[in-house]
mmCIF file of all heavy atoms in Angstrom:
data_model
loop_
_atom_site.group_PDB
_atom_site.id
_atom_site.type_symbol
_atom_site.label_atom_id
_atom_site.label_comp_id
_atom_site.label_asym_id
_atom_site.label_seq_id
_atom_site.Cartn_x
_atom_site.Cartn_y
_atom_site.Cartn_z
ATOM 1 N N PHE A 1128 88.501 90.654 100.988
ATOM 2 C CA PHE A 1128 88.618 91.391 102.254
ATOM 3 C C PHE A 1128 89.444 92.671 102.078
ATOM 4 O O PHE A 1128 89.111 93.721 102.632
ATOM 5 C CB PHE A 1128 89.247 90.499 103.316
ATOM 6 C CG PHE A 1128 89.368 91.162 104.661
ATOM 7 C CD1 PHE A 1128 88.245 91.381 105.448
ATOM 8 C CD2 PHE A 1128 90.605 91.582 105.135
ATOM 9 C CE1 PHE A 1128 88.356 92.009 106.690
ATOM 10 C CE2 PHE A 1128 90.722 92.209 106.370
ATOM 11 C CZ PHE A 1128 89.587 92.423 107.145
ATOM 12 N N THR A 1129 90.517 92.585 101.296
ATOM 13 C CA THR A 1129 91.378 93.755 101.073
ATOM 14 C C THR A 1129 90.634 94.853 100.310
ATOM 15 O O THR A 1129 90.765 96.035 100.631
ATOM 16 C CB THR A 1129 92.655 93.360 100.310
ATOM 17 O OG1 THR A 1129 93.338 92.330 101.035
ATOM 18 C CG2 THR A 1129 93.579 94.541 100.140
ATOM 19 N N LEU A 1130 89.875 94.472 99.284
ATOM 20 C CA LEU A 1130 89.100 95.458 98.540
ATOM 21 C C LEU A 1130 88.041 96.089 99.434
ATOM 22 O O LEU A 1130 87.781 97.298 99.356
ATOM 23 C CB LEU A 1130 88.452 94.813 97.310
ATOM 24 C CG LEU A 1130 89.391 94.559 96.124
ATOM 25 C CD1 LEU A 1130 88.714 93.702 95.070
ATOM 26 C CD2 LEU A 1130 89.859 95.879 95.521
ATOM 27 N N PHE A 1131 87.410 95.271 100.300
ATOM 28 C CA PHE A 1131 86.439 95.817 101.246
ATOM 29 C C PHE A 1131 87.132 96.752 102.235
ATOM 30 O O PHE A 1131 86.621 97.825 102.567
ATOM 31 C CB PHE A 1131 85.741 94.678 101.987
ATOM 32 C CG PHE A 1131 84.802 95.157 103.058
ATOM 33 C CD1 PHE A 1131 83.544 95.635 102.737
ATOM 34 C CD2 PHE A 1131 85.185 95.135 104.393
ATOM 35 C CE1 PHE A 1131 82.680 96.088 103.712
ATOM 36 C CE2 PHE A 1131 84.326 95.586 105.390
ATOM 37 C CZ PHE A 1131 83.070 96.060 105.043
ATOM 38 N N LEU A 1132 88.313 96.341 102.676
ATOM 39 C CA LEU A 1132 89.077 97.110 103.644
ATOM 40 C C LEU A 1132 89.531 98.454 103.070
ATOM 41 O O LEU A 1132 89.713 99.423 103.806
ATOM 42 C CB LEU A 1132 90.310 96.301 104.072
ATOM 43 C CG LEU A 1132 91.058 96.711 105.343
ATOM 44 C CD1 LEU A 1132 90.171 96.504 106.564
ATOM 45 C CD2 LEU A 1132 92.331 95.888 105.464
ATOM 46 N N SER A 1133 89.696 98.521 101.745
ATOM 47 C CA SER A 1133 90.161 99.760 101.113
ATOM 48 C C SER A 1133 89.177 100.903 101.322
ATOM 49 O O SER A 1133 89.568 102.072 101.323
ATOM 50 C CB SER A 1133 90.400 99.543 99.625
ATOM 51 O OG SER A 1133 89.176 99.352 98.936
ATOM 52 N N GLY A 1134 87.891 100.574 101.464
ATOM 53 C CA GLY A 1134 86.914 101.571 101.854
ATOM 54 C C GLY A 1134 86.463 102.531 100.776
ATOM 55 O O GLY A 1134 85.572 103.344 101.021
ATOM 56 N N THR A 1135 87.042 102.488 99.587
ATOM 57 C CA THR A 1135 86.617 103.432 98.544
ATOM 58 C C THR A 1135 85.368 102.939 97.856
ATOM 59 O O THR A 1135 85.169 101.739 97.664
ATOM 60 C CB THR A 1135 87.720 103.637 97.491
ATOM 61 O OG1 THR A 1135 87.918 102.423 96.770
ATOM 62 C CG2 THR A 1135 89.031 104.038 98.143
ATOM 63 N N ARG A 1136 84.501 103.869 97.472
ATOM 64 C CA ARG A 1136 83.236 103.512 96.850
ATOM 65 C C ARG A 1136 83.440 102.733 95.551
ATOM 66 O O ARG A 1136 82.758 101.749 95.286
ATOM 67 C CB ARG A 1136 82.421 104.775 96.584
ATOM 68 C CG ARG A 1136 81.947 105.453 97.842
ATOM 69 C CD ARG A 1136 81.593 106.906 97.567
ATOM 70 N NE ARG A 1136 81.134 107.554 98.791
ATOM 71 C CZ ARG A 1136 81.937 107.943 99.761
ATOM 72 N NH1 ARG A 1136 83.234 107.765 99.649
ATOM 73 N NH2 ARG A 1136 81.457 108.515 100.851
ATOM 74 N N ALA A 1137 84.377 103.207 94.728
ATOM 75 C CA ALA A 1137 84.601 102.560 93.439
ATOM 76 C C ALA A 1137 85.099 101.120 93.628
ATOM 77 O O ALA A 1137 84.662 100.206 92.923
ATOM 78 C CB ALA A 1137 85.605 103.363 92.617
ATOM 79 N N ASN A 1138 86.023 100.919 94.577
ATOM 80 C CA ASN A 1138 86.508 99.568 94.865
ATOM 81 C C ASN A 1138 85.392 98.656 95.349
ATOM 82 O O ASN A 1138 85.247 97.512 94.898
ATOM 83 C CB ASN A 1138 87.611 99.618 95.935
ATOM 84 C CG ASN A 1138 88.969 99.964 95.354
ATOM 85 O OD1 ASN A 1138 89.090 100.285 94.180
ATOM 86 N ND2 ASN A 1138 89.983 99.926 96.183
ATOM 87 N N LEU A 1139 84.578 99.161 96.280
ATOM 88 C CA LEU A 1139 83.496 98.347 96.846
ATOM 89 C C LEU A 1139 82.435 98.028 95.818
ATOM 90 O O LEU A 1139 81.941 96.892 95.735
ATOM 91 C CB LEU A 1139 82.872 99.072 98.040
ATOM 92 C CG LEU A 1139 83.751 99.181 99.295
ATOM 93 C CD1 LEU A 1139 83.054 100.045 100.345
ATOM 94 C CD2 LEU A 1139 84.055 97.807 99.865
ATOM 95 N N LEU A 1140 82.054 99.024 95.020
ATOM 96 C CA LEU A 1140 81.026 98.790 94.004
ATOM 97 C C LEU A 1140 81.517 97.805 92.951
ATOM 98 O O LEU A 1140 80.773 96.922 92.518
ATOM 99 C CB LEU A 1140 80.634 100.121 93.352
ATOM 100 C CG LEU A 1140 79.442 100.080 92.384
ATOM 101 C CD1 LEU A 1140 78.206 99.501 93.072
ATOM 102 C CD2 LEU A 1140 79.144 101.472 91.838
ATOM 103 N N SER A 1141 82.783 97.944 92.544
ATOM 104 C CA SER A 1141 83.373 97.003 91.576
ATOM 105 C C SER A 1141 83.402 95.592 92.149
ATOM 106 O O SER A 1141 83.109 94.618 91.451
ATOM 107 C CB SER A 1141 84.777 97.450 91.187
ATOM 108 O OG SER A 1141 84.752 98.686 90.535
ATOM 109 N N LEU A 1142 83.788 95.484 93.426
ATOM 110 C CA LEU A 1142 83.824 94.187 94.098
ATOM 111 C C LEU A 1142 82.451 93.521 94.078
ATOM 112 O O LEU A 1142 82.318 92.348 93.707
ATOM 113 C CB LEU A 1142 84.306 94.363 95.532
ATOM 114 C CG LEU A 1142 84.186 93.157 96.470
ATOM 115 C CD1 LEU A 1142 85.056 92.011 95.975
ATOM 116 C CD2 LEU A 1142 84.559 93.555 97.901
ATOM 117 N N ILE A 1143 81.421 94.264 94.456
ATOM 118 C CA ILE A 1143 80.066 93.716 94.513
ATOM 119 C C ILE A 1143 79.585 93.284 93.138
ATOM 120 O O ILE A 1143 79.056 92.176 92.963
ATOM 121 C CB ILE A 1143 79.097 94.748 95.124
ATOM 122 C CG1 ILE A 1143 79.428 94.977 96.604
ATOM 123 C CG2 ILE A 1143 77.646 94.287 94.985
ATOM 124 C CD1 ILE A 1143 78.704 96.160 97.217
ATOM 125 N N LEU A 1144 79.778 94.139 92.144
ATOM 126 C CA LEU A 1144 79.298 93.823 90.799
ATOM 127 C C LEU A 1144 80.026 92.616 90.216
ATOM 128 O O LEU A 1144 79.406 91.771 89.548
ATOM 129 C CB LEU A 1144 79.470 95.040 89.885
ATOM 130 C CG LEU A 1144 78.551 96.227 90.183
ATOM 131 C CD1 LEU A 1144 78.858 97.395 89.268
ATOM 132 C CD2 LEU A 1144 77.084 95.817 90.054
ATOM 133 N N ILE A 1145 81.340 92.516 90.450
ATOM 134 C CA ILE A 1145 82.099 91.367 89.938
ATOM 135 C C ILE A 1145 81.615 90.074 90.592
ATOM 136 O O ILE A 1145 81.436 89.043 89.923
ATOM 137 C CB ILE A 1145 83.604 91.577 90.165
ATOM 138 C CG1 ILE A 1145 84.136 92.636 89.201
ATOM 139 C CG2 ILE A 1145 84.378 90.265 89.964
ATOM 140 C CD1 ILE A 1145 85.564 93.055 89.470
ATOM 141 N N LEU A 1146 81.387 90.101 91.907
ATOM 142 C CA LEU A 1146 80.895 88.915 92.606
ATOM 143 C C LEU A 1146 79.504 88.525 92.093
ATOM 144 O O LEU A 1146 79.209 87.335 91.905
ATOM 145 C CB LEU A 1146 80.852 89.166 94.108
ATOM 146 C CG LEU A 1146 82.204 89.297 94.819
ATOM 147 C CD1 LEU A 1146 82.008 89.644 96.287
ATOM 148 C CD2 LEU A 1146 83.027 88.014 94.672
ATOM 149 N N VAL A 1147 78.655 89.521 91.868
ATOM 150 C CA VAL A 1147 77.304 89.250 91.344
ATOM 151 C C VAL A 1147 77.387 88.633 89.946
ATOM 152 O O VAL A 1147 76.696 87.650 89.637
ATOM 153 C CB VAL A 1147 76.472 90.543 91.297
ATOM 154 C CG1 VAL A 1147 75.181 90.341 90.491
ATOM 155 C CG2 VAL A 1147 76.118 90.995 92.714
ATOM 156 N N ILE A 1148 78.257 89.176 89.102
ATOM 157 C CA ILE A 1148 78.394 88.673 87.727
ATOM 158 C C ILE A 1148 78.886 87.243 87.710
ATOM 159 O O ILE A 1148 78.337 86.381 87.004
ATOM 160 C CB ILE A 1148 79.346 89.587 86.917
ATOM 161 C CG1 ILE A 1148 78.676 90.930 86.635
ATOM 162 C CG2 ILE A 1148 79.767 88.920 85.607
ATOM 163 C CD1 ILE A 1148 79.615 91.965 86.064
ATOM 164 N N TYR A 1149 79.922 86.940 88.508
ATOM 165 C CA TYR A 1149 80.473 85.582 88.472
ATOM 166 C C TYR A 1149 79.538 84.566 89.121
ATOM 167 O O TYR A 1149 79.480 83.403 88.688
ATOM 168 C CB TYR A 1149 81.859 85.560 89.129
ATOM 169 C CG TYR A 1149 82.958 85.771 88.109
ATOM 170 C CD1 TYR A 1149 83.440 87.045 87.845
ATOM 171 C CD2 TYR A 1149 83.463 84.707 87.378
ATOM 172 C CE1 TYR A 1149 84.419 87.251 86.894
ATOM 173 C CE2 TYR A 1149 84.443 84.892 86.431
ATOM 174 C CZ TYR A 1149 84.917 86.170 86.185
ATOM 175 O OH TYR A 1149 85.874 86.368 85.224
ATOM 176 N N THR A 1150 78.811 84.984 90.131
ATOM 177 C CA THR A 1150 77.805 84.085 90.703
ATOM 178 C C THR A 1150 76.724 83.805 89.679
ATOM 179 O O THR A 1150 76.245 82.669 89.547
ATOM 180 C CB THR A 1150 77.170 84.718 91.966
ATOM 181 O OG1 THR A 1150 78.212 85.026 92.901
ATOM 182 C CG2 THR A 1150 76.177 83.773 92.610
ATOM 183 N N ASP A 1151 76.357 84.826 88.927
ATOM 184 C CA ASP A 1151 75.348 84.681 87.877
ATOM 185 C C ASP A 1151 75.819 83.695 86.798
ATOM 186 O O ASP A 1151 75.066 82.820 86.366
ATOM 187 C CB ASP A 1151 75.073 86.050 87.262
ATOM 188 C CG ASP A 1151 73.674 86.149 86.674
ATOM 189 O OD1 ASP A 1151 72.726 85.672 87.317
ATOM 190 O OD2 ASP A 1151 73.537 86.690 85.568
ATOM 191 N N ILE A 1152 77.073 83.855 86.368
ATOM 192 C CA ILE A 1152 77.620 82.960 85.342
ATOM 193 C C ILE A 1152 77.677 81.523 85.846
ATOM 194 O O ILE A 1152 77.319 80.574 85.134
ATOM 195 C CB ILE A 1152 79.030 83.434 84.916
ATOM 196 C CG1 ILE A 1152 78.949 84.803 84.233
ATOM 197 C CG2 ILE A 1152 79.687 82.410 83.996
ATOM 198 C CD1 ILE A 1152 80.299 85.424 83.965
ATOM 199 N N TYR A 1153 78.108 81.357 87.094
ATOM 200 C CA TYR A 1153 78.219 80.014 87.676
ATOM 201 C C TYR A 1153 76.855 79.331 87.747
ATOM 202 O O TYR A 1153 76.706 78.164 87.348
ATOM 203 C CB TYR A 1153 78.832 80.103 89.065
ATOM 204 C CG TYR A 1153 78.858 78.788 89.805
ATOM 205 C CD1 TYR A 1153 79.805 77.823 89.499
ATOM 206 C CD2 TYR A 1153 77.915 78.502 90.793
ATOM 207 C CE1 TYR A 1153 79.833 76.602 90.161
ATOM 208 C CE2 TYR A 1153 77.916 77.286 91.456
ATOM 209 C CZ TYR A 1153 78.884 76.340 91.132
ATOM 210 O OH TYR A 1153 78.886 75.132 91.782
ATOM 211 N N LEU A 1154 75.840 80.053 88.226
ATOM 212 C CA LEU A 1154 74.507 79.467 88.337
ATOM 213 C C LEU A 1154 73.898 79.186 86.974
ATOM 214 O O LEU A 1154 73.186 78.191 86.800
ATOM 215 C CB LEU A 1154 73.595 80.406 89.140
ATOM 216 C CG LEU A 1154 73.946 80.565 90.619
ATOM 217 C CD1 LEU A 1154 73.018 81.581 91.272
ATOM 218 C CD2 LEU A 1154 73.862 79.223 91.348
ATOM 219 N N PHE A 1155 74.176 80.037 86.009
ATOM 220 C CA PHE A 1155 73.638 79.820 84.661
ATOM 221 C C PHE A 1155 74.122 78.504 84.073
ATOM 222 O O PHE A 1155 73.368 77.780 83.411
ATOM 223 C CB PHE A 1155 74.036 80.980 83.751
ATOM 224 C CG PHE A 1155 73.597 80.804 82.325
ATOM 225 C CD1 PHE A 1155 72.284 81.034 81.964
ATOM 226 C CD2 PHE A 1155 74.504 80.403 81.342
ATOM 227 C CE1 PHE A 1155 71.879 80.868 80.642
ATOM 228 C CE2 PHE A 1155 74.106 80.228 80.032
ATOM 229 C CZ PHE A 1155 72.785 80.466 79.678
ATOM 230 N N HIS A 1156 75.371 78.165 84.324
ATOM 231 C CA HIS A 1156 75.951 76.944 83.747
ATOM 232 C C HIS A 1156 75.704 75.704 84.610
ATOM 233 O O HIS A 1156 75.844 74.582 84.112
ATOM 234 C CB HIS A 1156 77.458 77.120 83.552
ATOM 235 C CG HIS A 1156 77.809 78.043 82.434
ATOM 236 N ND1 HIS A 1156 77.631 77.733 81.112
ATOM 237 C CD2 HIS A 1156 78.326 79.308 82.448
ATOM 238 C CE1 HIS A 1156 78.024 78.737 80.348
ATOM 239 N NE2 HIS A 1156 78.456 79.707 81.135
ATOM 240 N N ASN A 1157 75.328 75.888 85.882
ATOM 241 C CA ASN A 1157 75.235 74.725 86.764
ATOM 242 C C ASN A 1157 73.875 74.533 87.438
ATOM 243 O O ASN A 1157 73.513 73.402 87.742
ATOM 244 C CB ASN A 1157 76.315 74.843 87.858
ATOM 245 C CG ASN A 1157 77.709 74.824 87.287
ATOM 246 O OD1 ASN A 1157 78.285 73.777 87.023
ATOM 247 N ND2 ASN A 1157 78.294 76.006 87.100
ATOM 248 N N HIS A 1158 73.163 75.606 87.680
ATOM 249 C CA HIS A 1158 71.882 75.494 88.386
ATOM 250 C C HIS A 1158 70.884 76.478 87.768
ATOM 251 O O HIS A 1158 70.725 77.595 88.262
ATOM 252 C CB HIS A 1158 72.047 75.769 89.882
ATOM 253 C CG HIS A 1158 73.077 74.909 90.548
ATOM 254 N ND1 HIS A 1158 72.831 73.594 90.906
ATOM 255 C CD2 HIS A 1158 74.357 75.171 90.922
ATOM 256 C CE1 HIS A 1158 73.911 73.088 91.476
ATOM 257 N NE2 HIS A 1158 74.851 74.030 91.497
ATOM 258 N N LYS A 1159 70.208 76.045 86.705
ATOM 259 C CA LYS A 1159 69.336 76.951 85.971
ATOM 260 C C LYS A 1159 68.190 77.487 86.835
ATOM 261 O O LYS A 1159 67.827 78.667 86.728
ATOM 262 C CB LYS A 1159 68.769 76.236 84.737
ATOM 263 C CG LYS A 1159 69.818 75.929 83.675
ATOM 264 C CD LYS A 1159 70.383 77.212 83.084
ATOM 265 C CE LYS A 1159 71.547 76.938 82.133
ATOM 266 N NZ LYS A 1159 71.188 76.132 80.966
ATOM 267 N N LYS A 1160 67.617 76.659 87.687
ATOM 268 C CA LYS A 1160 66.514 77.115 88.527
ATOM 269 C C LYS A 1160 66.999 78.152 89.542
ATOM 270 O O LYS A 1160 66.352 79.175 89.775
ATOM 271 C CB LYS A 1160 65.854 75.938 89.245
ATOM 272 C CG LYS A 1160 65.106 74.997 88.304
ATOM 273 C CD LYS A 1160 64.447 73.868 89.078
ATOM 274 C CE LYS A 1160 63.678 72.951 88.129
ATOM 275 N NZ LYS A 1160 63.028 71.829 88.859
ATOM 276 N N LEU A 1161 68.136 77.847 90.167
ATOM 277 C CA LEU A 1161 68.710 78.804 91.114
ATOM 278 C C LEU A 1161 69.126 80.087 90.402
ATOM 279 O O LEU A 1161 69.077 81.177 90.990
ATOM 280 C CB LEU A 1161 69.923 78.192 91.809
ATOM 281 C CG LEU A 1161 69.634 77.179 92.910
ATOM 282 C CD1 LEU A 1161 70.944 76.627 93.475
ATOM 283 C CD2 LEU A 1161 68.807 77.812 94.027
ATOM 284 N N PHE A 1162 69.525 79.968 89.142
ATOM 285 C CA PHE A 1162 69.900 81.125 88.347
ATOM 286 C C PHE A 1162 68.737 82.109 88.239
ATOM 287 O O PHE A 1162 68.904 83.321 88.420
ATOM 288 C CB PHE A 1162 70.348 80.670 86.949
ATOM 289 C CG PHE A 1162 70.512 81.785 85.951
ATOM 290 C CD1 PHE A 1162 71.626 82.618 85.984
ATOM 291 C CD2 PHE A 1162 69.547 81.998 84.967
ATOM 292 C CE1 PHE A 1162 71.763 83.647 85.060
ATOM 293 C CE2 PHE A 1162 69.690 83.025 84.054
ATOM 294 C CZ PHE A 1162 70.789 83.845 84.096
ATOM 295 N N ILE A 1163 67.547 81.583 87.971
ATOM 296 C CA ILE A 1163 66.351 82.434 87.853
ATOM 297 C C ILE A 1163 66.023 83.071 89.203
ATOM 298 O O ILE A 1163 65.773 84.282 89.287
ATOM 299 C CB ILE A 1163 65.160 81.615 87.331
ATOM 300 C CG1 ILE A 1163 65.462 81.117 85.905
ATOM 301 C CG2 ILE A 1163 63.889 82.450 87.331
ATOM 302 C CD1 ILE A 1163 64.432 80.144 85.383
ATOM 303 N N LEU A 1164 66.030 82.257 90.264
ATOM 304 C CA LEU A 1164 65.721 82.792 91.593
ATOM 305 C C LEU A 1164 66.755 83.830 92.031
ATOM 306 O O LEU A 1164 66.410 84.850 92.640
ATOM 307 C CB LEU A 1164 65.680 81.643 92.610
ATOM 308 C CG LEU A 1164 64.519 80.650 92.456
ATOM 309 C CD1 LEU A 1164 64.700 79.484 93.422
ATOM 310 C CD2 LEU A 1164 63.190 81.348 92.701
ATOM 311 N N TYR A 1165 68.013 83.550 91.723
ATOM 312 C CA TYR A 1165 69.092 84.466 92.094
ATOM 313 C C TYR A 1165 68.927 85.820 91.416
ATOM 314 O O TYR A 1165 69.065 86.870 92.064
ATOM 315 C CB TYR A 1165 70.441 83.845 91.724
ATOM 316 C CG TYR A 1165 71.625 84.767 91.893
ATOM 317 C CD1 TYR A 1165 72.137 85.039 93.154
ATOM 318 C CD2 TYR A 1165 72.234 85.368 90.784
ATOM 319 C CE1 TYR A 1165 73.234 85.872 93.320
ATOM 320 C CE2 TYR A 1165 73.324 86.205 90.941
ATOM 321 C CZ TYR A 1165 73.810 86.459 92.206
ATOM 322 O OH TYR A 1165 74.887 87.295 92.359
ATOM 323 N N ASN A 1166 68.620 85.810 90.138
ATOM 324 C CA ASN A 1166 68.454 87.068 89.412
ATOM 325 C C ASN A 1166 67.230 87.843 89.900
ATOM 326 O O ASN A 1166 67.258 89.072 89.960
ATOM 327 C CB ASN A 1166 68.350 86.809 87.902
ATOM 328 C CG ASN A 1166 69.714 86.595 87.271
ATOM 329 O OD1 ASN A 1166 70.419 87.528 86.945
ATOM 330 N ND2 ASN A 1166 70.090 85.327 87.117
ATOM 331 N N GLU A 1167 66.178 87.118 90.249
ATOM 332 C CA GLU A 1167 65.004 87.786 90.817
ATOM 333 C C GLU A 1167 65.363 88.429 92.163
ATOM 334 O O GLU A 1167 64.952 89.562 92.462
ATOM 335 C CB GLU A 1167 63.863 86.799 90.991
ATOM 336 C CG GLU A 1167 63.272 86.322 89.675
ATOM 337 C CD GLU A 1167 62.189 85.264 89.872
ATOM 338 O OE1 GLU A 1167 62.074 84.750 91.024
ATOM 339 O OE2 GLU A 1167 61.478 84.944 88.910
ATOM 340 N N PHE A 1168 66.137 87.702 92.947
ATOM 341 C CA PHE A 1168 66.568 88.223 94.255
ATOM 342 C C PHE A 1168 67.443 89.463 94.082
ATOM 343 O O PHE A 1168 67.248 90.478 94.761
ATOM 344 C CB PHE A 1168 67.323 87.132 95.010
ATOM 345 C CG PHE A 1168 67.968 87.595 96.286
ATOM 346 C CD1 PHE A 1168 67.211 87.791 97.427
ATOM 347 C CD2 PHE A 1168 69.334 87.856 96.331
ATOM 348 C CE1 PHE A 1168 67.797 88.223 98.608
ATOM 349 C CE2 PHE A 1168 69.926 88.294 97.498
ATOM 350 C CZ PHE A 1168 69.151 88.488 98.636
#
């Protein structure tokens, strides 16, 4: 929330990419089918 609240493009873009990366890693190790669907999405 604080990074979103900061309002800067670099902060927001970094926040989004980090969340996408960690969600990707989590699904790869725990839900392979969801991992494929998630990456397609």
Side-chain angles (χ1 to χ4, degrees):
F1128 182 73
T1129 303
L1130 283 170
F1131 175 79
L1132 196 66
S1133 69
T1135 66
R1136 292 160 180 76
N1138 278 6
L1139 290 174
L1140 187 56
S1141 297
L1142 170 63
I1143 293 169
L1144 291 177
I1145 287 172
L1146 291 176
V1147 168
I1148 289 170
Y1149 268 92
T1150 303
D1151 207 43
I1152 295 172
Y1153 174 77
L1154 292 177
F1155 177 77
H1156 288 289
N1157 297 277
H1158 305 282
K1159 292 295 173 62
K1160 292 182 179 180
L1161 284 178
F1162 169 77
I1163 296 172
L1164 292 173
Y1165 172 76
N1166 280 277
E1167 291 177 348
F1168 173 78

